[in-house]
């Protein structure tokens, strides 16, 4: 039998069979346990119905994963929807770019939802959103969970794909989900009450199916990518998360170009084609990656040249200055900061 794990509680893995939609309570075969790979929620697995009861089974094999996330630990996520609020809290573009980049890193298709539309007084933020994110190919919806505006558009974004919902606390993630399925509110509350009773009970994530219209909506019940930093990848890999920067990098003179100050940088050559706030986010993430690199170097795992160390300082200097400046002034300032 093949199926997908949708919930894990201690040793029990709940698997929905691919052919019959029956649910099996499964344990993991000892041989598989000894291997490094842990079975995750979302994993497609091969099971043996050892008792022949169509209720219990043993997981024998994890089938190849399309992707997997850590925090929450989940495999085969089909898409991410990033929720931001337009106001209260104000839209944070860097945070949005952070979520976008994480989803990109994990090779997960991403869609954008901007909530609390009822609080938006002027259209300039909305225009900015379209200006930046539409050319990058994102599907965008505006919602108000409070006024039940755009909820059907949000439902359409969800489709029947297994979706991880991302977004900072307070943007309205729970409110949006509850506006689709008010029953879920009770369920979520029950779960949290249950877990708060135990002392630090590990909270496992689960794929929740919500009946809505013809097809079920499938969401992962814990927010994705919360409080994550780019402290796991090399500075040179950050541009891979930005399509509009990546597009120009092959024209850079140096293969290890960070697109900050380097001679013959084709990204800087085309900087007018890149949105300033996106480029600023890029710089911040490069800085985080630099800090990570420094740390690994201190631990003695990496060796770097002194030239690169100078560059690290420069990156830190630019991105701590949170200036609202025109693109050309911004560029001039980069050069000034970098003393080129
Ligand atoms: P979460 O932390 O992302 O799950 O956010 P919540 O769903 O808990 O919402 C945080 C706060 O924002 C709550 O007080 C909600 O009532 C409020 N809220 C959620 N959606 C909207 C909205 O569309 N408009 C307004 N004005 N408030 C909202
Ligand atoms: Zn470059």
């Amino acid at each position: 039998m093949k199926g997908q794990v949708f919930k894990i509680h201690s040793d029990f893995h709940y698997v929905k069979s691919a052919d019959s939609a029956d649910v099996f309570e499964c344990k993991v075969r000892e041989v598989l346990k000894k291997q490094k790979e842990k079975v995750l929620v979302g994993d497609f697995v091969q099971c043996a119905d050892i008792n022949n009861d169509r209720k219990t089974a043993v997981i024998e094999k994890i089938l190849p994963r399309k992707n997997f996330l850590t925090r929450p630990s989940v495999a085969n996520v089909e898409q991410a929807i990033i929720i931001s609020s337009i106001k209260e809290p104000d839209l944070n573009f860097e945070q949005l770019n952070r979520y976008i980049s994480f989803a990109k890193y994990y090779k997960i298709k991403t869609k954008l939802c901007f909530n609390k539309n009822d609080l938006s007084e002027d259209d300039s933020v909305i225009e900015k959103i379209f200006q930046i994110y539409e050319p990058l190919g994102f599907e965008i919806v505006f919602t108000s969970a409070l006024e039940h505006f755009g909820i059907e558009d949000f439902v359409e974004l969800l489709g029947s794909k297994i979706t991880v919902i991302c977004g900072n606390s307070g943007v309205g993630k729970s409110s949006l989900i509850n506006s689709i399925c008010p029953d879920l509110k009770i369920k979520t509350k029950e779960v949290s009450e249950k877990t708060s009773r135990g002392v630090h009970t590990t909270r496992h994530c689960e794929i929740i199916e919500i009946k809505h219209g013809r097809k079920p909506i499938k969401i992962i019940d814990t927010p994705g990518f919360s409080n994550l930093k780019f402290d796991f990848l090399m500075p040179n890999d950050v541009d891979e998360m930005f399509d509009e920067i990546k597009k120009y990098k092959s024209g850079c003179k140096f293969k290890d170009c960070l697109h900050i100050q380097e001679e013959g940088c084709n990204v800087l050559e085309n900087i007018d084609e890149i949105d300033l706030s996106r480029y600023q986010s890029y710089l911040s993430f490069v800085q985080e990656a630099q800090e990570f690199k420094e740390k690994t170097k201190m631990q003695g795992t990496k060796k770097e040249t002194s030239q690169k160390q100078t560059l690290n300082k420069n990156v830190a200097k630019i991105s701590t200055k949170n200036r609202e400046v025109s693109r050309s002034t911004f560029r001039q300032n980069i050069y000034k900061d970098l003393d080129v």
Side-chain angles (χ1 to χ4, degrees), residues 115-116 118-119 144-146 168-175:
N115 190 40
K116 306 202 187 184
D118 54 288
L119 298 176
S144 164
L146 189 77
N168 283 6
S169 166
V171 297
K173 296 182 297 296
S174 328
S175 305

Side-chain angles (χ1 to χ4, degrees), residues 186-196 203 221:
I186 306 157
K187 201 176 167 201
T188 317
K189 213 172 141 225
E190 274 173 7
V191 171
S192 62
E193 272 170 6
K194 225 185 265 172
T195 46
S196 65
R203 176 89 204 274
D221 78 337

Side-chain angles (χ1 to χ4, degrees), residues 109-131:
K109 187 179 164 62
T110 307
K111 298 172 177 179
L112 310 180
C113 170
F114 297 90
N115 190 40
K116 306 202 187 184
N117 199 43
D118 54 288
L119 298 176
S120 154
E121 287 135 22
D122 71 310
D123 287 344
S124 63
V125 179
I126 293 171
E127 272 167 33
K128 194 172 170 192
I129 290 166
F130 275 120
Q131 228 171 37

Side-chain angles (χ1 to χ4, degrees), residues 189-232:
K189 213 172 141 225
E190 274 173 7
V191 171
S192 62
E193 272 170 6
K194 225 185 265 172
T195 46
S196 65
R197 241 188 278 143
V199 185
H200 294 299
T201 318
T202 326
R203 176 89 204 274
H204 296 291
C205 75
E206 179 179 344
I207 297 170
I208 294 181
E209 281 198 20
I210 306 170
K211 299 270 173 289
H212 187 97
R214 276 176 297 136
K215 286 180 181 169
I217 286 169
K218 295 175 195 162
I219 53 167
I220 291 151
D221 78 337
T222 41
F225 312 127
S226 295
N227 304 321
L228 286 186
K229 284 186 87 179
F230 281 96
D231 57 1
F232 55 90

Side-chain angles (χ1 to χ4, degrees), residues 252 257 259 265-266:
C252 293
C257 188
H259 328 301
C265 172
N266 191 44

